[in-house]
Amino acid sequence: MASVMLGIDGVTVTEAEDEADGRLTVWARVTRPAACPECGTVSESVHQYVVTTPRDVRICGEDADLCLVKRRMECAVDICPRGTFTESVPQVPPRCTITRRLLEHAGAEVAGRGITPAEAARDAGISWPSVHEAFAGAAGRLLGDELAPVAYLGIDEHRRGRPRWRRDTDTGEYVQLADRWHTCFYDLSGNQGMLGQVEGRTSDDAAYWLAGATQDWRDAVEVVAIDMCNIYLSAVKRMLPHAKVAVDLFHVVQLAVKTTGDVRRRAIREKYGRRGKAGDPEYGIKHLLERNLENLSPDNFATIIDTLDSDREGQQIAIAWIAKEKLRDALKLRARITRSAPCERQVRDRLYALYDWCAQHDGIPELVSLAQTVSRWEDQIACAVLTGVTNATSESLNRLAKLEARLAYGFRNPANQRRRVRIACTRGTRRRTAR
Ligand SMILES: [Zn+2]
């Protein structure tokens, strides 16, 4: 019964005793035919008994010391080059001092619960390198070697650590050794989480990673989601010429909200000759102007109209505010909101209405530049509205990547970091599919 409870194949418990310090000592011996590893002959002649103490998992939640008695056998075959050999079981291979199941448990703790290898090692009473190796093996099995095809790819920048510089002894100038910005790639349609990251955030950095993927993988990408940034746009055009590009709509709205704020600040300065402060009616509604129109109560709406309707400066702010809502009108056509497939003509018509509005009020320079920026990104905005692809997942996975770096107190080895981050990014999906 004790042997069954210990649960190591080929091992029989002979004795168990409670020590004075509360630990449990389990004595066991190997009971399976001992075959010579060289010639495969089963031997019966014992040369010596050896006691090993492999680290094992807790037994019923208690720390236990396993004393495993192994026999050193003599090979009975005369011509066999092997004189003696020690018997072993699969859980404790020759020359191993940790049971396989303890390693597996520690590796699974890191992969499944998100604790660090150092913490898992402390808990299991074994060393960091042992747990790390077990985790690397488990991660390899979970993630696979090759990236699966990705239909929607996200590219985003991500700040990590601090830049490092070195002074050039000849020129006296500082040379950058490590960039604090990384470019990260995400699987937005599947469940692979973060696919990879490269140091730097130039177009070449992004193209370099994309060039490392296979041609088949690149061909499978249908839509790429990026922030409103020309750098990644040119990298995508170079490496994924067939893919459509969707710009993240959050940043489009953010731009319009910022424009409204810029107009408000300039108008206040023109009206009062100073920056706005508490007590100015225009200053008082600044947070109302940032809200979505549909989230304003009738009172809020009336407050905005009353404040802005009275003078020329107020009317300028109102015009910028309306421009923001006109832009949002176009973005509101996405299927997530309307529950029906949007039509490209309609999206472009509504964007045209925004340009028209900005052109009618071209005395406001901020609106002109808003219209110019939006029209430059019109194709990418329309693509985002039509496909509904956003970079929101990238942003949330970024947070996971940062958390992982904090837990590790920073990484020295980029390969380890990539592995830990990818495991962290896919943990949620793994849990859901296991359920
Ligand atoms: Zn032999």
Side-chain angles (χ1 to χ4, degrees), residues 103-104 106-108 111 132-144 419 423:
L103 281 179
E104 230 165 77
H132 173 72
E133 200 182 320
F135 164 65
R141 285 190 295 280
L142 289 170
L143 298 173
R419 188 188 299 116
I423 280 289

Side-chain angles (χ1 to χ4, degrees), residues 239-412:
M239 298 309 301
L240 307 166
H242 60 279
K244 284 189 279 186
V245 177
V247 69
D248 190 45
L249 296 182
F250 169 82
H251 292 94
V252 180
V253 176
Q254 194 183 37
L255 180 73
V257 172
K258 184 180 162 294
T259 304
T260 314
D262 290 345
V263 174
R264 179 182 55 77
R265 275 184 289 274
R266 185 175 53 77
I268 288 181
R269 194 166 281 280
E270 279 171 12
K271 183 171 171 184
Y272 301 101
R274 55 159 173 79
R275 55 183 288 182
K277 60 177 187 183
D280 296 345
E282 292 84 358
Y283 189 84
I285 59 163
K286 71 173 193 174
H287 290 301
L288 291 182
L289 294 177
E290 289 167 3
R291 279 206 223 162
N292 295 339
L293 181 62
E294 60 272 21
N295 296 343
L296 290 175
S297 68
D299 284 352
N300 293 152
F301 188 76
T303 311
I304 291 179
I305 299 299
D306 290 348
T307 312
L308 299 182
D309 208 25
S310 50
D311 52 22
R312 207 189 124 262
E313 284 81 11
Q315 279 161 8
Q316 283 197 17
I317 302 173
I319 290 163
W321 179 57
I322 292 168
K324 178 197 86 170
E325 290 303 327
K326 282 193 178 290
L327 177 63
R328 288 192 58 247
D329 277 346
L331 310 186
K332 267 189 253 173
L333 289 169
R334 40 191 210 280
R336 230 191 81 227
I337 295 174
T338 59
R339 303 278 162 213
S340 64
C343 129
E344 183 171 355
R345 188 69 261 152
Q346 214 179 354
V347 178
R348 289 191 191 267
D349 280 350
R350 291 201 182 177
L351 287 176
Y352 184 79
L354 166 74
Y355 306 150
D356 194 35
W357 179 258
C358 295
Q360 282 174 38
H361 303 94
D362 58 357
I364 304 174
E366 292 88 350
L367 283 193
V368 176
S369 83
L370 173 72
Q372 278 167 348
T373 310
V374 170
S375 78
R376 206 165 48 239
W377 289 91
E378 184 180 310
D379 290 343
Q380 288 80 16
I381 292 173
C383 174
V385 175
L386 297 175
T387 58
V389 177
T390 79
N391 234 351
T393 315
S394 311
E395 309 285 351
S396 77
L397 291 175
N398 255 350
R399 202 196 56 77
L400 273 179
K402 278 192 179 153
L403 181 65
E404 208 62 21
R406 288 232 157 168
L407 287 173
Y409 289 88
F411 284 95
R412 288 194 180 178

Side-chain angles (χ1 to χ4, degrees), residues 35-41 43 74-83 85:
C36 168
E38 202 76 40
C39 62
T41 317
S43 171
E74 270 166 17
C75 184
V77 180
D78 289 339
I79 51 161
C80 179
R82 189 87 178 215
F85 62 93

Side-chain angles (χ1 to χ4, degrees), residues 77-345:
V77 180
D78 289 339
I79 51 161
C80 179
R82 189 87 178 215
T84 59
F85 62 93
T86 308
E87 57 186 3
S88 67
V89 286
Q91 274 292 336
V92 193
R95 280 182 283 280
C96 287
T97 55
I98 305 169
T99 60
R100 298 300 98 179
R101 60 183 188 181
L102 178 59
L103 281 179
E104 230 165 77
H105 170 76
E109 288 268 284
V110 180
R113 285 211 298 133
I115 61 175
T116 59
E119 203 176 329
R122 267 197 299 279
D123 184 57
I126 54 181
S127 71
W128 183 90
S130 305
V131 176
H132 173 72
E133 200 182 320
F135 164 65
R141 285 190 295 280
L142 289 170
L143 298 173
D145 297 333
E146 292 288 315
L147 292 178
V150 169
Y152 298 164
L153 175 71
I155 305 180
D156 198 7
E157 60 187 14
H158 169 196
R159 204 180 68 188
R160 180 205 154 197
R162 56 198 163 90
R164 273 193 288 277
W165 304 83
R166 183 177 54 82
R167 190 165 198 162
D168 195 312
T169 43
D170 299 333
T171 61
E173 280 179 11
Y174 280 95
V175 185
Q176 192 171 39
L177 292 178
D179 197 332
R180 74 179 311 180
W181 290 95
H182 284 218
T183 301
C184 303
F185 300 84
Y186 304 91
D187 178 6
L188 302 180
S189 49
N191 47 27
Q192 299 183 85
M194 187 190 280
L195 302 167
Q197 54 181 337
V198 285
E199 202 180 283
R201 51 167 173 176
T202 65
S203 177
D204 285 344
D205 294 327
Y208 166 77
W209 188 87
L210 291 170
T214 62
Q215 185 63 46
D216 287 346
W217 189 88
R218 286 203 296 272
D219 288 344
V221 176
E222 294 165 21
V223 181
V224 184
I226 58 173
D227 294 348
M228 282 173 103
C229 121
N230 281 314
I231 293 165
Y232 294 148
L233 183 65
S234 78
V236 170
K237 286 206 167 136
R238 206 167 0 142
M239 298 309 301
L240 307 166
H242 60 279
K244 284 189 279 186
V245 177
V247 69
D248 190 45
L249 296 182
F250 169 82
H251 292 94
V252 180
V253 176
Q254 194 183 37
L255 180 73
V257 172
K258 184 180 162 294
T259 304
T260 314
D262 290 345
V263 174
R264 179 182 55 77
R265 275 184 289 274
R266 185 175 53 77
I268 288 181
R269 194 166 281 280
E270 279 171 12
K271 183 171 171 184
Y272 301 101
R274 55 159 173 79
R275 55 183 288 182
K277 60 177 187 183
D280 296 345
E282 292 84 358
Y283 189 84
I285 59 163
K286 71 173 193 174
H287 290 301
L288 291 182
L289 294 177
E290 289 167 3
R291 279 206 223 162
N292 295 339
L293 181 62
E294 60 272 21
N295 296 343
L296 290 175
S297 68
D299 284 352
N300 293 152
F301 188 76
T303 311
I304 291 179
I305 299 299
D306 290 348
T307 312
L308 299 182
D309 208 25
S310 50
D311 52 22
R312 207 189 124 262
E313 284 81 11
Q315 279 161 8
Q316 283 197 17
I317 302 173
I319 290 163
W321 179 57
I322 292 168
K324 178 197 86 170
E325 290 303 327
K326 282 193 178 290
L327 177 63
R328 288 192 58 247
D329 277 346
L331 310 186
K332 267 189 253 173
L333 289 169
R334 40 191 210 280
R336 230 191 81 227
I337 295 174
T338 59
R339 303 278 162 213
S340 64
C343 129
E344 183 171 355
R345 188 69 261 152

